[in-house]
Amino acid sequence: MKKKWIGIRAAAGLCAALGWWGLLYPELALTPDTVKISAEDEKGTALSQTSEWSFDSSLYLDLLQADREQITFRSRVFAEIGLLWEAFHGRNGTETK
């Protein structure tokens, strides 16, 4: 049991260390695979904007200066956890039978 907790703590420490480097060097964390730039039209549908990627772009500074309403955070991990939660508890939080 003690070895299991050591493994969990080591994995948590590794994840924290990798996340820390994303804070120190955001240009390494903000890559074309992790950032999708989109805009909404008059109807409210999201339109994807494609642009050529470079590490010299001002994406990080643009994100820092953006308003709260202009940024949407989406995570595949959180989406999957949400689907799992809905499968066990239903959409409104009550348990399904």
Side-chain angles (χ1 to χ4, degrees):
M1 184 69 167
K2 199 172 194 179
K3 288 183 182 181
K4 180 180 176 182
W5 283 111
I6 291 173
I8 291 172
R9 289 178 68 188
L14 179 64
C15 290
L18 292 174
W20 177 251
W21 283 108
L23 290 173
L24 289 178
Y25 301 104
E27 64 273 0
L28 297 178
L30 298 174
T31 63
D33 298 334
T34 60
V35 176
K36 178 182 172 187
I37 301 171
S38 63
E40 289 185 358
D41 61 1
E42 299 83 25
K43 298 177 185 176
T45 58
L47 303 171
S48 179
Q49 296 178 348
T50 57
S51 61
E52 188 158 328
W53 186 265
S54 71
F55 283 111
D56 297 330
S57 69
S58 65
L59 177 64
Y60 180 66
L61 296 175
D62 293 341
L63 287 173
L64 286 178
Q65 296 172 356
D67 292 333
R68 183 177 286 188
E69 296 84 25
Q70 292 179 314
I71 297 177
T72 304
F73 176 76
R74 294 188 182 157
S75 170
R76 185 173 180 177
V77 172
F78 291 143
E80 295 294 329
I81 290 172
L83 290 174
L84 184 65
W85 180 264
E86 287 180 13
F88 286 113
H89 298 286
R91 188 170 277 287
N92 59 2
T94 59
E95 286 194 30
T96 58
K97 295 182 180 179

